[in-house]
Amino acid sequence: ASTASFTVFELAQYPEVLEKAQRDIREALEKHDNNFTYEAVQDMKYLDLCIMETTRKYPGLPILNRECTKDYPLPDSNLVIKSGTPIIIPLLGMHRDEKYFPDPMRWDPERFLNKNYEPAAYM
């Protein structure tokens, strides 16, 4: 529900993106005889970009908690993360970092179409 709400909020801010999303939905439904089916949703490629960008800007969880399962030597360092060490992955920070996503506070679904981001940073 949060992702849908944030997507609608962002679409309201960008009428040109809203128009593209509406066209994408109309074309997908027409292709499937105006039936809202799983296959029709799979054909809504631009809408998928909108949802991806929403989950980037507003991740469902701002952090991920993990536990190191084996000793991991950090590259170019003498440090080792020991097995059993709690690890925190800051999704919100990564998703809003200019190093990975240029102009990170701008909601831009086409960044995924144009590959204008660091793929390893998107979770």
Side-chain angles (χ1 to χ4, degrees), residues 5-20:
S5 296
F6 281 125
T7 302
V8 170
F9 169 76
E10 290 290 355
L11 285 167
Q13 309 302 308
Y14 297 94
E16 68 283 358
V17 177
L18 173 61
E19 195 173 301
K20 288 179 183 181

Side-chain angles (χ1 to χ4, degrees), residues 10 14 56-58 96 101-107 111:
E10 290 290 355
Y14 297 94
R56 178 202 64 82
K57 190 173 176 186
Y58 308 100
R96 293 186 178 187
F101 299 94
D103 196 8
M105 294 312 292
R106 176 171 167 70
W107 187 77
R111 81 173 69 237

Side-chain angles (χ1 to χ4, degrees), residues 103-117:
D103 196 8
M105 294 312 292
R106 176 171 167 70
W107 187 77
D108 179 16
E110 295 192 14
R111 81 173 69 237
F112 291 98
L113 184 64
N114 301 327
K115 307 285 190 243
N116 188 21
Y117 70 102

Side-chain angles (χ1 to χ4, degrees), residues 66-84:
R66 296 290 185 260
E67 184 175 302
C68 188
T69 58
K70 62 181 181 178
D71 289 357
Y72 178 78
L74 292 171
D76 303 321
S77 162
N78 293 329
L79 299 174
V80 175
I81 300 173
K82 297 286 186 188
S83 178

